[in-house]
Amino acid sequence: MSTLTASPETPETASAAPSRPAYRVTGRRVLASEWAKLWSLRSTWITLGLGLVFLVAFGIIAASHYKSNLDSGRHLDRDFATSTAVSLSLFGTNFAQLALGVLGVLVTAGEYSTGMIRSTLAAVPRRLPVLWSKAAVYGLVALLVATVGAFVAFLVGSRIVSGTPAAMSLGHAGVVRSLLGAGLYLGLVGVIGTALGALLRSVAGGISVLVAALMLVPGLVSLLPTSWQGDIDPYLPSHAGESIFALTHDSTALSPSAGLLVFLAWTALALAGAAYRLLRSDV
């Protein structure tokens, strides 16, 4: 009776077997992954478009309103009497910050609501690179969109108010700094939204806290005694952010550089809270 015996595997045979390349997680690959996920969502295009439309459209509407009132001889209210082409063009900043901030919340909290965050963190076990990449990718996109919108709004708005006391050009002192500051402010709002989404892991919760911090808290502070308001108001996120792109500053407002430092501190605080929860809590 004959028996079959398996011949031992030779080194040549072993070396001929295909081997899978080792998968390496690198910073560039994580950034590329977050970039692809950001643009694969329809909400990204819609919300960025809304942010751009709010910034440009409301700036043009404000400039047109100023011009029409001036031409008709109607009395300008106090807010419009001292307006400049910059302040009129950036009138839509408060509306654009909501759109860009909300999208920042969706970038992170949306993955928790769908459960996709488990796959993301399985691919990137160290976790924190995911948060930094999300914040960096979306912050840069929001910065570019907001900066383009600010310059477009100013170029159109300055033509509308040409020949009026509010007329200004890009060559005027502080104009370019204000427009770039508006783009930087809105970009950082997007980063804060991203951090809040990762911290609270809830779309509704992140949006609620964002709206409260930027719009509701300043109104509540106005109810405090006047002596307290002067110590608190300039350091609120919204007021510190406004000082970044304001063309002129009164004695109660922060300088552009001080406002930027305060707003960066708020951004860092939100990111630190998000990083802590990401490391300490299960998904």
Side-chain angles (χ1 to χ4, degrees):
M1 177 181 295
S2 63
T3 59
L4 295 176
T5 58
S7 60
E9 188 177 28
T10 62
E12 291 78 4
T13 305
S15 62
S19 59
R20 295 181 60 186
Y23 176 79
R24 293 186 57 206
V25 178
T26 64
R28 188 174 71 174
R29 285 176 173 172
V30 178
L31 285 170
S33 173
E34 296 304 327
W35 177 268
K37 284 192 288 186
L38 177 65
W39 293 110
S40 65
L41 300 175
R42 184 181 302 175
S43 59
T44 299
W45 298 91
I46 295 174
T47 314
L48 285 177
L50 285 175
L52 186 61
V53 169
F54 288 158
L55 189 56
V56 175
F58 281 102
I60 294 174
I61 291 171
S64 301
H65 179 71
Y66 174 88
K67 177 70 171 176
S68 63
N69 283 352
L70 204 64
D71 291 343
S72 62
R74 288 197 295 266
H75 176 70
L76 293 172
D77 57 32
R78 186 175 63 179
D79 293 335
F80 276 92
T82 58
S83 295
T84 63
V86 172
S87 63
L88 292 170
S89 301
L90 298 180
F91 185 80
T93 303
N94 288 336
F95 303 95
Q97 71 180 358
L98 292 179
L100 297 177
V102 165
L103 181 56
V105 173
L106 291 173
V107 166
T108 48
E111 286 203 33
Y112 284 94
S113 63
T114 61
M116 186 178 176
I117 190 65
R118 298 185 184 91
S119 300
T120 299
L121 296 182
V124 189
R126 292 179 61 187
R127 295 194 173 191
L128 285 184
V130 173
L131 176 62
W132 307 144
S133 297
K134 285 182 182 294
V137 168
Y138 179 63
L140 179 60
V141 170
L143 169 65
L144 292 176
V145 170
T147 302
V148 170
F151 274 89
V152 170
F154 176 78
L155 293 175
V156 177
S158 62
R159 296 192 63 178
I160 294 174
V161 300
S162 178
T164 69
M168 301 185 83
S169 66
L170 286 174
H172 280 77
V175 170
V176 173
R177 190 267 307 163
S178 294
L179 299 178
L180 292 175
L184 179 59
Y185 166 69
L186 292 174
L188 290 174
V189 167
V191 174
I192 290 176
T194 304
L196 290 177
L199 174 62
L200 301 175
R201 301 183 177 183
S202 165
V203 174
I207 293 174
S208 299
V209 172
L210 179 73
V211 173
L214 296 179
M215 304 188 72
L216 298 184
V217 172
L220 295 176
V221 171
S222 65
L223 302 176
L224 297 175
T226 306
S227 58
W228 292 12
Q229 293 180 31
D231 296 330
I232 298 175
D233 252 3
Y235 302 96
L236 295 177
S238 56
H239 291 167
E242 288 175 4
S243 66
I244 300 174
F245 59 86
L247 192 62
T248 58
H249 299 78
D250 55 30
S251 58
T252 62
L254 298 175
S255 66
S257 57
L260 177 59
L261 289 176
V262 171
F263 200 71
L264 285 173
W266 283 110
T267 307
L269 180 63
L271 286 172
Y276 179 84
R277 186 171 188 193
L278 187 62
L279 289 176
R280 298 294 180 179
S281 302
D282 292 333
V283 297

